[in-house]
């Protein structure tokens, strides 16, 4: 059954139209009109979220787990329609959308299991010691509690897994926090149908509609109104460094500053150590080419920079990577703006001092083809612009003179989501020397793999020091991400009847 968007906002369980509209810009298929967001609609959604908060925060873990499972079921029930509108809006292939839908419903169900197990509450109890000298100790109990309504910004590059019902929304709902989503203008129809699934789940379970609202895209004022609304207590964001930093600054300047959990991108450096380069440089180069071009390079974990010691191993690595990239045909990017930014980034890299173009292409309209460049370590370290992310299938090889210079280059990188070691047994001493630098640099350190593809699991860390993210102690993927929307509360000498159910001893 073909899905035709109604184009309205979803606020507290109801469709809300607006006079101002915008048109979608699909990669193929029909465009549709959507109501544009406004500060007034944001205020309405935030008010509903605040009204719903007390009841939702007091709900049981099982009630919230059932909600998460039901949302997943409602999304799956709309699977074919989501794929249809999602492929039209984004240009992503059907298999990618179907896989991303599975990841989205999988993380909803993972959080349902996680909160049922209750370990995330971190419950602690220091019993009263009335006879302790020189002073008695009161009865002290502590557990994690939800912080309040959460704002979530839909991401451009993941229309499902990092958008309306993505990881931020799943974690916030699991914690007991109502959510107000600002939909991304690149895929409003996809956002709408997923939002309808959440509304249907709330309605089926008889829960307060204010637990979830979706305000569709609008001007920058809409996002600013959302992060500055005094009822919002935290923000989840995946997007550009410039946009994220502007919102982060607004959160910090509020009369009541709030945490802004922004995932802002990364070049994800890959260090090809000498023994690995000599033994299998060609294989590593081919694998790198595949990782660079996965999803048209539109993953925040795309390994855009490779560092290798100059010599025969480096030559084999580069030759193989170039061959693999040359075989990749132009592909459609998610938006016209992304395609233009990619072309601009490629020009910036190509104009860098000492940069050699190994593979160049002509990219028109919304399509993108791979680029490959190399540069010496000295020239790279002299030009800070060469360490900036280019969002797309572009690779830059940094040739270092020796392993000592490789360590010098490693220390020059800013915060990253990931850092990768391609290594063999003979590289262990160098890897040991690099590891402390990589640990300080990145949220995830890999050996002999590629960072594209982020496992949704208890152990995953998708975050890192700034500018990879705005909070180095948090992750936006995996069950640990629920901690972003909780805070510890200590209860001193409270009667059992007043304690949260999860803290009572009975």
């Amino acid at each position: 059954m073909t899905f035709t968007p109604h184009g309205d906002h979803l606020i507290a369980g109801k469709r809300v139209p607006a006079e101002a509209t915008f048109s979608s810009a699909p990669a193929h298929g029909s465009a549709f009109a959507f109501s544009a967001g406004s500060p007034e609609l944001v205020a309405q959604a935030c008010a509903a979220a605040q009204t719903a908060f007390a009841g939702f925060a007091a709900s049981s873990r099982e009630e919230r787990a059932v909600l998460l499972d039901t949302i997943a079921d409602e999304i799956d029930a709309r699977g074919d329609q989501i794929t249809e509108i999602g492929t039209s809006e984004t240009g992503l292939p059907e298999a990618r959308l179907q896989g991303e839908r599975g990841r989205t419903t999988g993380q909803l169900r993972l959080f349902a299991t996680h909160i049922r197990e209750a370990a995330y509450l971190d419950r602690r109890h220091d019993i009263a010691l009335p006879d302790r000298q020189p002073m008695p100790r009161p009865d002290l109990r502590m557990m994690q509690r939800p912080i309040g309504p959460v704002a979530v910004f839909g991401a451009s590059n993941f229309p499902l897994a990092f958008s309306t019902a993505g990881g931020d929304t799943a974690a916030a709902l699991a914690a007991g926090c109502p959510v107000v989503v600002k939909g991304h203008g690149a895929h409003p129809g996809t956002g709408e149908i997923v939002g309808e699934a959440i509304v249907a789940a709330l309605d089926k379970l008889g829960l307060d509609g204010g637990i979830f609202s979706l305000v569709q895209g609008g001007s920058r004022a809409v996002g600013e109104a959302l992060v500055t609304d005094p009822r919002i207590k935290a923000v989840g964001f995946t997007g550009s460094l410039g946009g994220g930093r502007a919102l982060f600054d607004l959160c910090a300047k509020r009369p009541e500053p709030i945490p802004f959990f922004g995932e802002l991108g990364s070049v994800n450096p890959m260090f090809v150590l000498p023994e690995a380069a000599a033994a299998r440089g060609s294989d590593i180069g081919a694998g790198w080419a595949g990782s660079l071009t996965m999803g048209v390079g539109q993953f925040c974990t795309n390994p855009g920079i490779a560092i290798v010691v100059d010599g025969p191993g480096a030559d084999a690595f580069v030759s193989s990577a170039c061959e693999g990239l040359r075989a990749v045909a132009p592909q459609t990017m998610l938006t016209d703006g992304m395609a233009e930014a990619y072309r601009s980034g490629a020009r910036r890299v190509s104009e860098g001092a000492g940069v050699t173009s190994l593979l160049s292409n002509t990219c028109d309209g919304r399509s993108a083809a791979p680029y490959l460049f190399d540069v010496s370590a000295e020239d790279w370290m002299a030009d800070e612009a060469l360490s900036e992310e280019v969002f797309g299938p572009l690779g830059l090889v940094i040739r270092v003179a020796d392993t000592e210079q490789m360590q010098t280059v490693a220390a020059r990188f800013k915060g990253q989501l990931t850092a990768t070691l391609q290594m063999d047994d003979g590289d262990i001493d160098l890897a040991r020397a690099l590891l402390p630098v990589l640990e300080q640099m990145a949220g995830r350190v890999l050996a002999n793999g590629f960072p594209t593809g982020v496992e949704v699991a208890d152990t995953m860390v998708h975050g890192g020091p700034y500018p990879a993210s705005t909070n180095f102690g948090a992750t936006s993927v995996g069950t640990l991400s629920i901690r972003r929307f909780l805070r510890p509360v200590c209860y001193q000498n409270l009667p059992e009847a007043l304690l949260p159910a999860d803290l009572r001893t009975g």
Side-chain angles (χ1 to χ4, degrees):
M1 179 179 175
T2 298
F3 171 69
T4 302
H6 53 65
D8 295 337
H9 307 284
L10 297 171
I11 298 179
K14 296 182 173 56
R15 289 174 47 179
V16 179
E19 289 186 10
T21 62
F22 68 96
S23 176
S24 62
H28 56 79
S30 301
F32 297 99
F34 291 86
S35 294
S38 67
E40 292 76 20
L41 288 166
V42 166
Q44 186 178 336
C46 292
Q50 180 61 35
T51 299
F53 173 61
F56 193 45
S59 63
S60 70
R61 289 180 285 109
E62 180 60 24
E63 287 171 326
R64 297 197 302 279
V66 170
L67 171 61
L68 294 168
D69 284 335
T70 304
I71 293 171
D73 292 343
E74 292 290 340
I75 290 173
D76 279 340
R78 295 161 172 78
D80 290 343
Q81 293 177 315
I82 290 172
T83 299
E84 178 191 28
I85 189 72
T87 54
S88 171
E89 289 185 324
T90 66
L92 293 171
E94 288 189 7
R96 157 70 192 274
L97 263 295
Q98 290 164 353
E100 191 178 330
R101 175 166 56 86
R103 171 175 169 166
T104 303
T105 56
Q107 61 193 5
L108 286 161
R109 294 185 174 111
L110 176 65
F111 272 109
T113 299
H114 184 63
I115 61 175
R116 284 185 172 112
E117 293 171 348
Y120 78 98
L121 294 172
D122 193 18
R123 290 174 288 195
R124 305 180 187 202
H125 185 194
D126 290 312
I127 62 172
L129 298 175
D131 299 324
R132 190 184 68 174
Q133 296 297 326
M135 295 182 63
R137 184 175 75 187
D139 183 85
L140 300 169
R141 307 185 194 213
M142 185 277 283
M143 67 179 285
Q144 302 288 336
R145 296 293 294 149
I147 60 173
V150 170
V152 171
F153 284 73
S156 60
N157 60 332
F158 278 87
L160 298 173
F162 279 88
S163 289
T164 308
D168 290 340
T169 297
L173 294 177
C177 299
V179 174
V180 178
V181 173
K182 181 186 181 297
H184 198 286
H187 42 75
T190 309
E192 178 186 303
I193 192 170
V194 174
E196 290 279 13
I198 300 174
V199 170
L202 291 168
D203 186 61
K204 181 177 290 187
L205 299 175
L207 298 175
D208 192 323
I211 291 170
F212 170 81
S213 291
L214 168 65
V215 178
Q216 290 284 19
S219 68
R220 181 175 296 181
V222 178
E224 293 175 352
L226 184 54
V227 303
T228 56
D229 190 288
R231 291 160 289 208
I232 294 296
K233 301 303 180 186
V235 180
F237 174 89
T238 299
S240 69
L241 175 60
R245 182 55 195 253
L247 294 172
F248 172 85
D249 290 344
L250 285 174
C251 288
K253 292 177 182 177
R254 286 173 36 143
E256 177 202 3
I258 59 171
F260 178 87
F261 298 104
E263 191 269 280
L264 308 180
S266 179
V267 296
N268 306 293
M270 181 180 75
F271 297 84
V272 185
L273 305 196
E275 295 293 328
R280 50 191 179 89
S282 293
D283 291 340
I284 298 170
W288 186 52
S291 185
L292 276 175
T293 55
M294 185 181 297
V296 205
Q298 297 169 117
F299 292 132
C300 47
T301 53
N302 194 34
I305 295 181
I307 304 93
V308 59
V309 177
D310 200 10
D315 293 340
F317 167 77
V318 168
S319 177
S320 179
C322 196
E323 181 180 353
L325 294 173
R326 189 176 286 114
V328 176
Q331 296 172 276
T332 302
M333 296 198 81
L334 289 161
T335 69
D336 292 320
M338 282 187 179
E340 177 53 38
Y342 175 61
R343 290 190 288 269
S344 176
R347 286 192 298 271
R348 169 173 53 79
V349 174
S350 69
E351 293 167 359
V355 173
T356 300
S357 176
L358 304 176
L359 176 65
S360 62
N361 278 289
T362 300
C363 303
D364 298 316
R366 198 158 157 175
S367 69
Y371 290 87
L372 182 63
F373 303 93
D374 77 355
V375 66
S376 70
E378 290 83 0
D379 286 328
W380 179 81
M381 288 188 288
D383 186 353
E384 189 171 342
L386 293 178
S387 64
E388 296 175 3
E389 180 184 32
V390 178
F391 203 59
L394 180 148
L396 175 65
V397 178
I398 302 174
R399 291 179 181 258
V400 297
D402 50 33
T403 58
E404 183 177 347
Q405 192 174 53
M406 179 177 279
Q407 294 176 66
T408 301
V409 166
R412 296 291 291 269
F413 280 98
K414 296 180 181 178
Q416 306 291 327
L417 295 171
T418 75
T420 300
L421 291 167
Q422 298 290 349
M423 56 177 289
D424 282 359
D425 291 344
D427 294 311
I428 196 72
D429 289 339
L430 176 57
R432 184 178 291 112
L434 284 168
L435 187 57
V437 178
L438 305 192
E439 286 177 336
Q440 190 173 21
M441 174 204 304
R444 177 163 57 113
V445 180
L446 301 80
N448 296 330
F450 299 95
T452 40
V454 181
E455 186 70 25
V456 180
D458 291 328
T459 51
M460 180 51 63
V461 174
H462 190 60
Y466 186 84
S469 62
T470 55
N471 191 312
F472 64 82
T475 175
S476 62
V477 177
T479 54
L480 187 63
S481 67
I482 196 174
R483 297 276 186 94
R484 299 173 298 166
F485 308 125
L486 298 165
R487 64 181 183 87
V489 178
C490 177
Y491 302 88
Q492 181 171 325
N493 286 339
L494 261 67
E496 284 272 326
L498 290 182
L499 290 170
D502 282 320
L503 264 185
R504 297 172 192 165
T505 55

